[in-house]
Amino acid sequence: MSDKEPMWDSLPPGILTHAFLQLPIKSIITCTCVSKKWKSLIQNPSFISTHLHHSSSNSNNRLFLFRLCPNEGTMWDKREREVYTLYWDNNNNSNNEEEDFNEHTRFDSPFPAQSGSVILRVVGTCNGLVCLARDLLSYDNSYILWNPCVRKFTRTSRPIVSYSTYGGFEETTGFGFDSKTNDYKVVRVVRLLDREDEDGSSLKVEVYSLATDEWRMVTVGLPSRCVVRGREPLAFVNGALHWIAFRRTITNNLQSFVMVLDLGDEVIREIALPEFLNGFDGDQYWVRMSISVYRNSLALFHQQDFSSPCLNIWVMKEYADESSWTKLVTLSDGQCSREYVPRALGFRRSGEVIIEMHDGALISLHFESQKLKVLGITGYGYIFDHSINGNGYTFFDSYVESLVLLDEPNRAVTY
């Protein structure tokens, strides 16, 4: 050891790595200020990947990210910053309800709105990154990848499909990780409103790569003459993004199915939904369906308004096995009304489903016991624009703390 070399810099990298992995993420960030050697080791992509694997596999490190309602009446206040809160999911194999859903930490959004029209929508989370979209009240269609734990963010390049190039459109967006290329990808599924291709298709799918900062169109496996509803959430599981699509049959009925995009080979395929959900007449405006992650498979939230308001929850017990779709529960009389049907947000690791009630109260439902638990958390509740409420304000997803983007400079985000 050199006389001028501090003792902590003389420790072998293997010992330092093991020590850093035992620390909370805030302490790891603090360690980057101790010495250049420590900073270089922590910001190394190899250590960032090792830390992510360690954090993901730690059964005691289960968190949920909520984007929750600001103070009442300030939703559209341009000075209001959105609040993102991490909660512990402690109910697995535990009967201590007092420990359930304790707050871990919270983050103020670093992106304050400059006008009442700028509202960021949460697309999804993956490996500690939060994907945000600026598309609720405009055709701006810009996206931000943000790691709140390390306070780093990057803005994507402009997508291919825009109002200036294709006219009006509706879109739904997903976010996930391609383990084959170690790359994060944003996927836009766009339904054109003003034009069709020669085959009658009005659907476009494009993929953004963080590694290249470029968008490209996906055409392999894209079915013709199908549509998607705008801003419905996409589910990322088993290396692929999943969303609900519809096609018109020769008898003018709607056939619904799950469209799947593998982020590795970027080929689109289909998974059938329960036969019960097909064969409806008309536009089925009063029926809403969205897909969610259920353990290592899929769940379907089937929401019907007006004539027979109810919420049906289906799960695919074996991934990609279309015969394994099973209805778990139906919420109807007493929980639903003509004005509002409760909205399912997602699942806990125990399998309980998180539901948002009309007043914004969040509850969890245990399927086997049918027990409802009030979580003491309030979302946005009923929003006048149902399409915004579909994936605009209250957001819930599993979350893992990571150092992803720590080795990258922030890319300016201006509005």
Side-chain angles (χ1 to χ4, degrees), residues 212-224:
T212 63
D213 191 32
E214 293 178 347
W215 293 86
R216 55 182 173 270
M217 303 298 291
V218 173
T219 58
V220 179
L222 183 64
S224 62

Side-chain angles (χ1 to χ4, degrees), residues 6 22 29 35 53 60 62 79 96 116 141 143 157 175 186 190 215 222 224 235 259 267 308 359 365 373 403 412:
Q22 314 311 311
I29 301 302
S35 70
H53 176 75
N60 296 319
R62 305 295 184 178
R79 297 166 296 180
N96 190 348
N141 301 109
Y143 304 91
S157 57
F175 176 58
V186 180
V190 182
W215 293 86
L222 183 64
S224 62
M259 195 177 294
V267 173
S308 301
D359 59 356
L365 170 64
K373 181 187 299 181
L403 300 171

Side-chain angles (χ1 to χ4, degrees), residues 193-407:
L193 301 178
D194 301 328
R195 57 187 289 185
E196 293 182 347
D197 291 338
E198 294 180 357
D199 63 355
S201 175
S202 61
L203 203 65
K204 299 288 184 183
V205 177
E206 58 178 320
V207 177
Y208 169 82
S209 162
L210 177 61
T212 63
D213 191 32
E214 293 178 347
W215 293 86
R216 55 182 173 270
M217 303 298 291
V218 173
T219 58
V220 179
L222 183 64
S224 62
R225 299 184 181 275
C226 67
V227 298
V228 295
R229 281 199 174 103
R231 301 195 184 99
E232 293 293 347
L234 276 66
F236 177 68
V237 64
N238 295 325
L241 283 165
H242 306 73
W243 64 96
I244 300 294
F246 303 86
R247 63 164 62 92
R248 186 76 62 179
T249 67
I250 58 175
T251 58
N252 203 36
N253 290 331
L254 279 181
Q255 180 190 42
S256 54
F257 60 97
V258 180
M259 195 177 294
V260 184
L261 175 64
D262 186 291
L263 293 187
D265 56 23
E266 296 186 2
V267 173
I268 295 172
R269 55 189 175 87
E270 300 179 18
I271 295 177
L273 287 172
E275 186 63 28
F276 165 78
L277 299 175
N278 289 316
F280 293 111
D281 294 327
D283 291 332
Q284 288 295 288
Y285 174 79
W286 54 91
V287 172
R288 301 186 67 85
M289 288 186 283
S290 61
I291 208 75
S292 180
V293 176
Y294 177 72
R295 294 173 175 165
N296 289 321
S297 190
L298 299 173
L300 175 71
F301 302 141
H302 172 228
Q303 179 177 312
Q304 184 167 325
D305 302 335
F306 302 117
S307 60
S308 301
C310 65
L311 171 65
N312 301 301
I313 300 177
W314 298 70
V315 298
M316 178 177 272
K317 293 189 173 182
E318 298 292 334
Y319 179 73
D321 181 357
E322 299 163 355
S323 66
S324 69
W325 280 112
T326 304
K327 185 192 286 188
L328 289 186
V329 70
T330 296
L331 300 180
S332 54
D333 295 341
Q335 292 118 349
C336 304
S337 68
R338 289 181 179 271
E339 290 76 26
Y340 187 84
V341 176
R343 185 166 71 96
L345 301 178
F347 293 88
R348 307 180 66 172
R349 59 173 167 158
S350 63
E352 295 179 18
V353 64
I354 303 295
I355 298 174
E356 183 178 32
M357 306 304 287
H358 72 281
D359 59 356
L362 300 185
I363 65 173
S364 65
L365 170 64
H366 190 278
F367 293 121
E368 293 182 1
S369 66
Q370 295 291 293
K371 180 181 178 181
L372 294 173
K373 181 187 299 181
V374 178
L375 300 179
I377 304 172
T378 302
Y380 285 89
Y382 180 77
I383 302 296
F384 67 90
D385 186 334
H386 193 61
S387 66
I388 292 179
N389 192 33
N391 195 24
Y393 293 106
T394 304
F395 174 84
F396 158 89
D397 200 1
S398 59
Y399 188 83
V400 58
E401 293 178 307
S402 81
L403 300 171
V404 177
L405 293 186
L406 182 62
D407 56 335

Side-chain angles (χ1 to χ4, degrees), residues 33-53:
C33 302
V34 172
S35 70
K36 291 182 179 180
K37 179 178 179 179
W38 284 22
K39 181 178 181 180
S40 176
L41 190 154
I42 292 171
Q43 291 186 343
N44 188 290
S46 177
F47 177 79
I48 292 174
S49 177
T50 299
H51 176 270
L52 175 61
H53 176 75

Side-chain angles (χ1 to χ4, degrees), residues 25-26 61 63 85-88 102-106 401:
I25 196 163
K26 289 183 179 179
N61 194 25
L63 296 166
T85 307
L86 287 178
Y87 288 88
W88 292 106
N102 283 338
E103 181 177 317
H104 172 53
T105 190
R106 62 174 54 199
E401 293 178 307

